[in-house]
Amino acid sequence: MGKIISLANQKGGVGKTTTAINLAASLANMGKKVLLVDADPQANASSGMGIDVSTLQYTIYECLIDGIEPSLAIKNSEIENLQILPSHIDLVGAEIEMLDVDEREKIMQKILVPLKPQYDFILIDCSPSLGLITVNSLTASDSVIIPVQCEYFALEGISKLLNTIKIIKGKLNPTLEIEGFLLTMYDSRLRLANEVFNEVKKHFDKMVFNTVINRNVRLSEAPSYGKPVILYDPESKGSSNYIELAEELVTKNQ
């Protein structure tokens, strides 16, 4: 039975989509069956996996709004064992269209939970907001990974996200857990990065992943080629960081 994990942080630019793409690819490379769900209207996880969203007949939008079977929208990737449920800019309007629907916070849950037996991991790349689609993603999830970049405003907004998780746990999804905080964009040469690292460790202790994602040029370049870094430059630091994270996640969930 698969595990559904959201990657969420309402702060943009924290490495959330980078983590979704590269963690999914690294897990699949280990032989795990993975579905990457792009729940962000910007569709960066879809394009970062080489999917041209303008050519798609069905995306997650049609699944949420029109009740289309997810199997019609799911696409294969270049990596064996890794499939994608892509997004589309239409998803921007989905929150308004969902407002009058019964149990509107549970639409994503109804789509994804039946898919759990087919996959080891279902990873959801959430949009950088705490809107209805993100609430849907967290309601559908077993756990959440929170990427935190090693920069000045890193801890700002985490309390808001934690509060949202607490509300969802209380009202919609009592079993939702925090899988871990993931430190991203780490540069050991910067004093500030080390201060943020220590601060997050101090606050969240064992909830922080041992793996840290370093700043890496190859990691930034890979999406423009529509590839995860494991295909773009398997020898890079970014690639080895995400392989390490995948191994840590699998070990944790054995």
Side-chain angles (χ1 to χ4, degrees):
M1 193 66 150
K3 184 171 193 178
I4 303 177
I5 304 175
S6 274
L7 289 102
N9 191 330
Q10 78 274 22
K11 195 172 179 314
V14 298
K16 188 168 45 57
T17 300
T18 302
T19 296
I21 290 170
N22 291 297
L23 177 57
S26 299
L27 286 165
N29 196 50
M30 290 172 72
K32 302 294 175 189
K33 284 198 148 337
V34 184
L35 176 66
L36 174 58
V37 178
D38 191 349
D40 184 347
Q42 294 176 79
N44 289 337
S46 305
S47 60
M49 289 299 299
I51 291 175
D52 180 357
V53 294
S54 65
T55 63
L56 300 176
Q57 186 179 2
Y58 299 123
T59 65
I60 191 167
Y61 171 82
E62 284 78 17
C63 297
L64 291 168
I65 302 303
D66 303 328
I68 292 292
E69 277 295 315
S71 58
L72 295 172
I74 289 170
K75 300 285 172 202
N76 291 324
S77 75
E78 274 189 76
I79 295 177
E80 200 185 345
N81 299 321
L82 174 55
Q83 292 185 307
I84 302 142
L85 178 50
S87 183
H88 192 273
I89 191 67
D90 287 352
L91 201 60
V92 167
E95 302 206 346
I96 296 160
E97 294 176 70
M98 289 159 74
L99 284 177
D100 296 328
V101 179
D102 285 344
E103 294 199 305
R104 61 187 181 207
E105 299 89 356
K106 297 189 174 179
I107 302 171
M108 183 93 77
Q109 190 180 60
K110 287 168 186 164
I111 293 167
L112 296 183
V113 169
L115 298 177
K116 282 173 84 169
Q118 298 172 41
Y119 298 97
D120 296 305
F121 292 97
I122 298 175
L123 302 183
I124 309 174
D125 183 31
C126 297
S127 66
S129 76
L130 293 178
L132 187 53
I133 302 283
T134 299
V135 168
N136 258 271
S137 301
L138 292 170
T139 304
S141 296
D142 299 302
S143 66
V144 54
I145 290 174
I146 303 170
V148 180
Q149 89 281 40
C150 294
E151 287 171 6
Y152 184 64
F153 292 115
L155 296 173
E156 202 178 74
I158 284 185
S159 58
K160 202 187 248 182
L161 177 61
L162 292 178
N163 197 41
T164 302
I165 290 169
K166 191 174 162 191
I167 291 165
I168 287 168
K169 222 173 139 72
K171 297 188 172 176
L172 295 164
N173 182 4
T175 59
L176 182 65
E177 298 293 336
I178 292 175
E179 190 72 41
F181 291 84
L182 174 69
L183 288 152
T184 63
M185 304 181 195
Y186 178 70
D187 186 340
S188 58
R189 298 166 301 180
L190 300 179
R191 196 181 76 198
L192 179 63
N194 291 300
E195 284 172 6
V196 171
F197 178 85
N198 292 331
E199 192 75 6
V200 174
K201 277 281 198 192
K202 189 175 83 182
H203 275 284
F204 302 110
D205 194 27
K206 290 185 171 61
M207 291 166 82
V208 183
F209 282 103
N210 294 323
T211 306
V212 173
I213 309 300
N214 290 270
R215 269 199 187 283
N216 182 249
V217 176
R218 305 310 249 173
L219 213 43
S220 313
E221 290 172 351
S224 62
Y225 291 86
K227 292 177 185 291
V229 74
I230 202 168
L231 290 182
Y232 177 64
D233 187 352
E235 302 302 313
S236 66
K237 183 76 174 162
S239 182
S240 60
N241 282 165
Y242 278 109
I243 289 166
E244 197 181 319
L245 177 64
E247 286 168 353
E248 187 176 348
L249 184 66
V250 168
T251 303
K252 196 176 172 190
N253 284 284
Q254 273 170 350

